Amino acid sequence: MSEEVLRSARPQGETTLAKALNAGLSDALAADDRVVLMGEDVGTLGGVFRITDGLKAQFGGRRVIDTPLAESGIVGTAIGMAMRGYRPCVEIQFDGFSAPAFDQIVSQLARYRARVGGRWSLSVTIRIPFGGGVGSPEHHSESPEGFYANTPGLKVVTCSNPDDAYWMLRQSIDSPDPVIFFEPKRRYYTRGHVAQTPTLGLHQARIARSGEEVTLICYGPMVDTCLEASQEGRKLEVIDVRSLSPLDMATVYESVRRTTRAIVVQEAPRTQGVGAEIAARLGEELYYVMEAPVLRVTGWSTPYPPAKAEGEHIPDVDRILDAVDRSLAF
């Protein structure tokens, strides 16, 4: 492998979330010959969002593999390769397209370590662009994270900024266990810096903004929305949970003990989602600490609406601030 390929691609200045992901994949390929990228159009085209742009030219068609349009086949092949010692990183082109691979992910990938009594594991990373806000048709704007967070045996994480995009992807590919890696597609052009070393573990939450009055608990595409809401005159603390399974509730508890109020914000439907799990745990652990019930600001529990109506579905600053006012009114 050439010196040009081996040189780290980690961005040195400000970059976009999309380019940070590209750099993370490039460095993962350079660092370990067992890493293989697979997916529809990831090679010659560079992916529909250009996240894998240029990687086939760098590493060749045996490391960056264009696959047929068959998600169950893609994940099934990745499972077989992981059994032989490879570390496949699979791209599902759009969130709704993970459904055809659901059986392979839930029935095979997630269960393998338990099935063999812990003797082996499958190091497979599945990248899924998720969420709306890009004007896409049906099956192209979904929030399926609840399906996978509810599945024992899977680790489920999501980034919200370039630093996490780079380092969480590297950590996911290095993980011995299967990781579902959600990428907020409408935040691909969010800009920021990438640190020289990771500042958090893969499953640690972070305080995105410190505050005193109310804790906003969010992840993925909603982090920027909550940060925008926190600039509207209230002293709001914003927690980016980053990892949906396992959840780092210790960081959340510490914040809510200080603010005594919590609002969970997610783009996914309200019913039985990740936000409901967080709210339930807060109710169990901090019932006598909180001065108001946990509130939720979410997408509606309906099929994802057409592109022209998605603005009514996705939580915005006004809906978040309304929940803040209701929490403070208790």
Side-chain angles (χ1 to χ4, degrees):
M1 191 175 295
S2 70
E3 182 180 348
E4 182 68 25
V5 170
L6 291 174
R7 188 180 301 123
S8 174
R10 181 177 56 80
Q12 301 300 308
E14 190 176 73
T15 190
T16 65
L17 190 151
K19 289 184 178 179
L21 290 170
N22 179 274
L25 292 171
S26 177
D27 283 350
L29 286 162
D32 190 340
D33 288 340
R34 297 173 299 172
V35 175
V36 176
L37 307 188
M38 302 168 58
E40 299 161 7
D41 298 320
V42 300
T44 302
L45 181 65
V48 68
F49 294 105
R50 303 299 187 269
I51 303 303
T52 55
D53 189 36
L55 297 182
K56 182 179 180 181
Q58 277 186 291
F59 296 94
R62 295 176 65 87
R63 304 283 307 281
V64 183
I65 304 168
D66 282 316
T67 66
L69 274 67
E71 286 78 12
S72 62
I74 296 169
V75 175
T77 300
I79 291 170
M81 293 180 73
M83 288 179 174
R84 300 295 295 174
Y86 290 90
R87 306 180 82 91
C89 181
V90 167
E91 177 179 294
I92 302 295
Q93 199 169 71
F94 283 92
D95 32 32
F97 299 167
S98 68
F102 193 78
D103 180 59
Q104 292 284 5
I105 296 171
V106 172
S107 300
Q108 307 301 328
L109 184 62
R111 296 172 184 264
Y112 185 75
R113 181 189 279 273
R115 183 177 293 144
V116 298
R119 292 191 296 274
W120 301 286
S121 60
L122 297 177
S123 181
V124 177
T125 302
I126 300 179
R127 297 177 40 244
I128 305 178
F130 80 127
V134 295
S136 295
E138 187 180 17
H139 302 308
H140 292 67
S141 295
E142 307 286 346
S143 296
E145 61 268 25
F147 295 136
Y148 302 110
N150 187 245
T151 302
L154 297 177
K155 296 176 179 178
V156 184
V157 301
T158 178
C159 57
S160 66
N161 58 76
D163 187 55
D164 279 350
Y166 178 87
W167 286 114
M168 291 178 75
L169 186 54
R170 294 293 308 275
Q171 291 165 332
S172 296
I173 294 171
D174 287 343
S175 172
D177 294 307
V179 178
I180 309 297
F181 189 93
F182 282 104
E183 302 167 6
K185 65 171 77 80
R186 78 172 180 278
R187 306 299 188 192
Y188 274 141
Y189 298 103
T190 295
R191 301 188 68 85
H193 289 84
V194 177
Q196 292 188 355
T197 57
T199 55
L200 293 170
L202 180 60
H203 301 295
Q204 287 181 278
R206 72 180 178 99
I207 300 175
R209 180 186 173 96
S210 297
E212 303 170 4
E213 293 184 293
V214 181
T215 299
L216 302 181
I217 305 159
C218 53
Y219 59 87
M222 287 292 100
V223 175
D224 279 0
T225 308
C226 286
L227 287 172
E228 185 179 350
S230 72
Q231 297 172 2
E232 295 297 319
R234 295 289 191 183
K235 297 178 181 178
L236 307 178
E237 180 143 300
V238 179
I239 302 293
D240 178 359
V241 297
R242 301 172 76 247
S243 175
L244 310 185
S245 181
L247 285 163
D248 172 16
M249 291 303 297
T251 299
V252 175
Y253 292 152
E254 181 181 357
S255 173
V256 176
R257 284 192 179 96
R258 286 188 285 101
T259 65
T260 69
R261 290 176 167 84
I263 298 170
V264 185
V265 183
Q266 66 179 32
E267 186 176 323
R270 178 184 181 89
T271 305
Q272 300 182 5
V274 173
E277 174 66 22
I278 294 172
R281 294 199 196 183
L282 285 169
E284 290 173 353
E285 298 295 328
L286 300 184
Y287 179 82
Y288 293 105
V289 172
M290 294 185 294
E291 297 184 27
V294 181
L295 300 180
R296 286 178 286 162
V297 182
T298 72
W300 310 116
S301 296
T302 63
Y304 201 92
K308 289 185 178 180
E310 65 182 359
E312 302 299 321
H313 175 83
I314 299 173
D316 59 14
V317 170
D318 287 342
R319 286 175 61 190
I320 294 170
L321 292 178
D322 176 71
V324 169
D325 289 342
R326 287 188 284 121
S327 181
L328 291 170
F330 276 94

